[in-house]
Amino acid sequence: MSATRGSVKPFVNFNAKHDAEVLRKAMKGIGTDEDVILMLLAARSNAQRQEIKAAYKKAFGKDLVKDLRSELGGKLEDLIVALMFPSTIYDARELHKAIKGVGTEDEVLIEILASRTCDEMKDIAKAYKKEYGSKLEKDIMGDTSGHYQRFLVILAQGNKEEGVDESKVEKDAKELFAAGEEKFGTDEDKFINILGNRSAEHLRKVFDAYKKIAGCDIEESIKDECTGNLEALLLAVVKCAKSVAAYFAESVRESMRRAGTDDETLIRIMVSRSERDMLDVRAIYKKKYGESLYNTIQEDSEGDYQKALLYLCGGND
């Protein structure tokens, strides 16, 4: 995936000092100019936002994120504050919140661990250690159990094999078939080891071979054989191996099509994909659901929060 598939790109005539002054003015005095804040920050890349933070502190001796928190409220605040963290730290924070909050937010663990690249995962683990003084792996283990826990720990290593090993494709497919469809009771370990350690390119070939042997998609077998969090994680890993953008198109659709919008998920996806692959997510969304992501967001949100989401979406298809 090339970095140019994002909807948010670096602002061309960027001047951090100028942006810091504009933001300060928008927050000073009576009332806050939300419009100015969201338009400016949504139109800057993450790296540029970090420079604005530094320029703001230098010029005014204040913490920009703290000021944004005190001036904004509700969902808009959540979204804007999320934009202000470097993406690796943002992911680490989301994981920490998911693990350390009341009950475990398994959806967040599954989404991040299934979709991030190996390099991203290694950086997230480092950032996690630095921010929280504990190891991501250790915290995951303290909060989960069984095969689900093992699979999360494997993914947290960010150590998948690279490329396609032609000699293993057929063997992997047969092992998966033998571990599931063919057997009374499922050999989860086989699923976890193959899906957790092979590259996406390799797995795509395995899934094709699996379909020929089993006569059905691997997703169908997983749904038949597994339940709960393990099932959800296996399915997410399969979907991401096939297409990360398609996985997020589906997730973002679900976040808005539930009874009541799941804004936490919506924000996390719009923020984390805005500089990675939002253009691909949008294209797949339109093709799959017959309406644009832009229009769904319009129907599903309102006010300044909606405006900010639409800026991140980057256009109507």
Side-chain angles (χ1 to χ4, degrees), residues 76-146:
L76 178 67
E77 176 190 337
D78 294 341
L79 177 60
I80 296 297
V81 168
L83 287 173
M84 298 309 296
F85 291 102
S87 63
T88 306
I89 293 176
Y90 177 66
D91 282 349
R93 283 175 65 94
E94 288 294 300
L95 288 170
H96 188 257
K97 209 165 69 186
I99 295 168
K100 294 296 179 195
V102 180
T104 308
E105 285 184 79
D106 291 292
E107 280 187 2
V108 181
L109 293 183
I110 290 167
E111 178 195 299
I112 294 176
L113 288 162
S115 66
R116 301 307 189 251
T117 66
C118 287
D119 286 346
E120 285 169 343
M121 217 42 250
K122 284 193 177 101
D123 290 342
I124 291 164
K126 274 190 205 126
Y128 190 96
K129 181 93 173 40
K130 198 175 161 193
E131 291 279 304
Y132 304 110
S134 60
K135 281 179 123 172
L136 174 60
E137 181 185 323
K138 188 168 161 279
D139 286 353
I140 288 172
M141 288 184 78
D143 223 45
T144 56
S145 61

Side-chain angles (χ1 to χ4, degrees), residues 17-307:
K17 187 167 178 280
H18 173 259
D19 285 351
E21 283 162 5
V22 170
L23 289 170
R24 180 79 185 120
K25 204 172 135 201
M27 291 189 277
K28 243 172 103 172
I30 301 160
T32 302
D33 196 338
E34 282 93 353
D35 253 12
V36 168
I37 295 170
L38 68 88
M39 275 168 74
L40 191 149
L41 292 172
R44 302 295 182 270
S45 70
N46 193 290
Q48 289 176 333
R49 293 183 207 121
Q50 305 316 313
E51 288 185 50
I52 296 169
K53 260 198 287 200
Y56 191 90
K57 186 158 260 179
K58 193 177 166 196
F60 309 111
K62 288 166 83 73
D63 183 320
L64 177 55
V65 177
K66 278 202 183 114
D67 282 358
L68 288 166
R69 279 191 204 277
S70 68
E71 294 295 330
L72 304 169
K75 292 180 277 199
L76 178 67
E77 176 190 337
D78 294 341
L79 177 60
I80 296 297
V81 168
L83 287 173
M84 298 309 296
F85 291 102
S87 63
T88 306
I89 293 176
Y90 177 66
D91 282 349
R93 283 175 65 94
E94 288 294 300
L95 288 170
H96 188 257
K97 209 165 69 186
I99 295 168
K100 294 296 179 195
V102 180
T104 308
E105 285 184 79
D106 291 292
E107 280 187 2
V108 181
L109 293 183
I110 290 167
E111 178 195 299
I112 294 176
L113 288 162
S115 66
R116 301 307 189 251
T117 66
C118 287
D119 286 346
E120 285 169 343
M121 217 42 250
K122 284 193 177 101
D123 290 342
I124 291 164
K126 274 190 205 126
Y128 190 96
K129 181 93 173 40
K130 198 175 161 193
E131 291 279 304
Y132 304 110
S134 60
K135 281 179 123 172
L136 174 60
E137 181 185 323
K138 188 168 161 279
D139 286 353
I140 288 172
M141 288 184 78
D143 223 45
T144 56
S145 61
H147 291 99
Y148 172 58
Q149 177 198 72
R150 274 203 53 225
F151 198 10
L152 287 171
V153 168
I154 289 172
L155 294 171
Q157 307 304 312
N159 262 337
K160 288 180 188 161
E161 295 155 14
E162 288 178 15
V164 178
D165 183 345
E166 293 294 349
S167 69
K168 276 191 195 155
V169 171
E170 197 69 25
K171 186 171 165 281
D172 285 347
K174 282 183 177 145
E175 285 199 355
L176 288 171
F177 181 63
E181 289 288 338
E182 216 175 42
K183 181 164 169 272
F184 185 72
T186 307
D187 182 354
E188 288 96 347
D189 283 341
K190 275 281 187 291
F191 271 86
I192 290 168
N193 290 338
I194 292 171
L195 292 177
N197 289 304
R198 307 283 191 266
S199 72
E201 302 88 355
H202 182 88
L203 287 175
R204 287 196 288 273
K205 296 205 165 188
V206 173
F207 301 155
D208 290 341
Y210 183 91
K211 195 170 183 175
K212 289 192 186 104
I213 301 167
C216 69
D217 276 324
I218 188 144
E219 282 106 319
E220 289 172 53
S221 300
I222 291 169
K223 284 175 191 162
D224 288 346
E225 304 292 328
C226 304
T227 55
N229 287 326
L230 179 64
E231 178 194 2
L233 181 56
L234 285 164
L235 288 173
V237 168
V238 169
K239 283 173 187 168
C240 287
K242 289 183 174 181
S243 161
V244 171
Y247 168 73
F248 279 110
E250 199 177 301
S251 300
V252 77
R253 174 81 175 178
E254 273 173 23
S255 77
M256 291 186 280
R257 281 291 171 257
R258 288 181 189 154
T261 302
D262 175 359
D263 287 292
E264 279 186 13
T265 299
L266 179 57
I267 289 170
R268 196 173 52 252
I269 294 174
M270 297 306 290
V271 169
S272 66
R273 304 328 288 179
S274 61
E275 282 181 63
R276 284 184 175 116
D277 53 6
M278 185 59 73
L279 301 181
D280 299 325
V281 172
R282 271 169 40 188
I284 293 165
Y285 189 96
K286 175 84 192 238
K287 201 172 156 192
K288 197 168 174 182
Y289 303 111
E291 65 174 337
S292 67
L293 177 56
Y294 194 93
N295 284 137
T296 309
I297 291 171
Q298 268 182 323
E299 287 161 25
D300 217 73
S301 55
E302 56 192 22
D304 290 322
Y305 172 58
Q306 179 199 74
K307 259 188 222 166

